[in-house]
Structures are given as C-alpha cells and as structure tokens.
Amino acid sequence: LSQFDPISSVFELKMARGHKVLKLRAQAKKVTLKYETTAPTVGAVGKYYPADDIVQKKGPTPVRNAPKVRASIVPGTVLILLAGRFRGKRVVCLKKLDSGLLLVSGPYSINGVPLRRVNQKYVIATSTSVSLDGVDVSKISDAMFKREAAAEKDGEEALFAAGAAAKPTVTSPERKAAQTAVDAKLKANIDKVQLLGAYMAAKFTLSKSDKPHMMKF
C-alpha cells in the first residue's frame, strides 16, 4: 500500500484551482479604453490641481438685511458709548443709517464727539431724550463716512511707503458743513432744558461700590 501524503494533496488541489482560474481569465473578453483626446483637462476636474486658487461659487449670495434697532433707541435718545476713543461720553442718536449703524453726535461743541457711526451693541440707551426740532440729517448717509482709497504703488515706491508714517485722515468739507449745521440746531435745543448741557458734557463712570445691574439709565 502507498502512503498518503496530506500536504502534497492539498498543494496539488491548490495548483489545480490556480490553473483553472488562469484559464478562465484567459478566456474572458478583453476591454480596451478609448480616449477622445490626449490633451490635458483644464481646471480642478483634471488630473492635477491648478496652480492658482479657483473660487468655487457654492450657491446664490444670501441677502444680508440691516439689523433691527432696539425699541429703546429712537431718534433723540441720549446714548452712552461703551467702546472706542469716546467711550464714556454721552451722545444724541440722530437716526438709523441704511447699514444698520446709528448716526450720533455729542454735539461736538459740548463734549467733543463729532458726527459718527456706532454699533448699537456698544451703547446704553438712557431714558433721557433731546428734541430734534430743526435738525436735518436727511442728506447724511454711509457714503459720507467712507475713506478715500489710497493709490497702490509698485516696486521701490511700495517698499519705501511701507516704512513711512501713516497719513492723517482729512475730514471732507461736506462733513464739516454737516457737523456745523447739526451742532447749531442740536445745541440750541439742549440749551432750552436746564442742566441738560452739563449732563451731556459729564462723562459716565462707575466706582467700586456701583451696581450697574441695579441702575436705571
């Protein structure tokens, strides 16, 4: 009797299966890919990324409406500024601009705050109000506060301009005329109320023992 070798039998079985698989692969139908052109594709859809950044528009641009103003802020309301170079100063709200910012004035002749735009997030609305009789701010818009775009310089001029001191901002004659006209009427209305001018000139401060959450402005 011949001896049975299980290892060789398993090996022969695997070889037989392998030959069968190779035979089936050889009999299978060959598929050939045909390309329309050999020119490289343009843009991000190609094989390689483009050298320059391409802005992909993801959908329609959303409409950003101006925010609503708090009910406590109306034209004539005295506001307390909480941020910026004039923080702590009291100003008069003149109107809401198209951008959603508030147009305010000190007036300049009383506390040094000129016509400027402020965000309603950085003001405290008080219960005091000033009459706006005769004050015309219909011609004042956001365009009046835009700064002139500086001309771009190339080469050596740009290198020297980077180290130079920044040029001071220049107030336009249109803005100066509007400031004078608004201040004249606004100060006249403030002078009609006793001690209102001193109240507008005083700076708002808090001491160590003050409790802002219990104050009525």
Side-chain angles (χ1 to χ4, degrees), residues 97-213:
L97 297 172
D98 294 338
S99 61
L101 300 176
L102 303 177
L103 177 66
V104 300
S105 180
Y108 184 79
S109 57
I110 292 181
N111 54 22
V113 182
L115 283 171
R116 60 188 291 109
R117 298 176 298 175
V118 297
N119 195 315
Q120 61 175 332
K121 293 182 179 179
Y122 304 108
V123 299
I124 295 177
T126 66
S127 57
T128 308
S129 61
V130 177
S131 175
L132 298 181
D133 293 340
V135 181
D136 185 16
V137 292
S138 58
K139 297 182 180 180
I140 301 178
S141 62
D142 291 299
M144 183 181 292
F145 297 92
K146 289 186 178 180
R147 297 182 181 180
E148 296 181 358
E152 296 184 359
K153 299 181 181 179
D154 299 330
E156 295 182 356
E157 293 184 0
L159 182 62
F160 288 109
K167 295 183 178 180
T169 57
V170 180
T171 306
S172 63
E174 179 187 6
R175 192 167 169 181
K176 289 181 180 180
Q179 181 73 64
T180 303
V182 170
D183 274 13
K185 298 294 183 180
L186 196 58
K187 189 176 183 304
N189 295 338
I190 292 175
D191 291 339
K192 295 178 182 179
V193 182
Q194 188 178 7
L195 300 178
L196 184 56
Y199 171 76
M200 297 298 299
K203 193 173 183 179
F204 174 77
T205 56
L206 290 173
S207 63
K208 185 177 180 180
S209 59
D210 290 336
K211 298 178 180 179
H213 62 283

Side-chain angles (χ1 to χ4, degrees), residues 11-184:
F11 179 74
E12 292 176 358
L13 181 61
K14 288 185 178 180
M15 290 293 293
R17 290 179 179 177
H19 287 302
K20 186 177 181 181
V21 169
L22 292 176
K23 186 177 180 180
L24 292 175
R25 288 181 180 177
Q27 295 176 355
K29 186 179 180 181
K30 299 296 186 293
V31 178
T32 305
L33 299 178
K34 294 183 179 180
Y35 298 94
E36 296 180 358
T37 177
T38 58
T41 54
V42 180
V45 298
K47 182 177 179 182
Y48 302 101
Y49 288 104
D52 299 327
D53 293 335
I54 299 177
V55 179
Q56 300 286 346
K57 191 172 182 181
K58 298 182 179 180
T61 304
V63 178
R64 304 188 185 278
N65 298 322
K68 295 182 180 180
V69 180
R70 301 198 303 262
S72 58
I73 301 177
V74 296
T77 304
V78 176
L79 309 174
I80 300 174
L81 301 181
L82 301 178
R85 56 182 296 203
F86 298 109
R87 59 182 175 272
K89 295 293 186 71
R90 292 179 171 89
V91 295
V92 181
C93 176
L94 300 177
K95 72 171 184 177
K96 172 195 171 185
L97 297 172
D98 294 338
S99 61
L101 300 176
L102 303 177
L103 177 66
V104 300
S105 180
Y108 184 79
S109 57
I110 292 181
N111 54 22
V113 182
L115 283 171
R116 60 188 291 109
R117 298 176 298 175
V118 297
N119 195 315
Q120 61 175 332
K121 293 182 179 179
Y122 304 108
V123 299
I124 295 177
T126 66
S127 57
T128 308
S129 61
V130 177
S131 175
L132 298 181
D133 293 340
V135 181
D136 185 16
V137 292
S138 58
K139 297 182 180 180
I140 301 178
S141 62
D142 291 299
M144 183 181 292
F145 297 92
K146 289 186 178 180
R147 297 182 181 180
E148 296 181 358
E152 296 184 359
K153 299 181 181 179
D154 299 330
E156 295 182 356
E157 293 184 0
L159 182 62
F160 288 109
K167 295 183 178 180
T169 57
V170 180
T171 306
S172 63
E174 179 187 6
R175 192 167 169 181
K176 289 181 180 180
Q179 181 73 64
T180 303
V182 170
D183 274 13

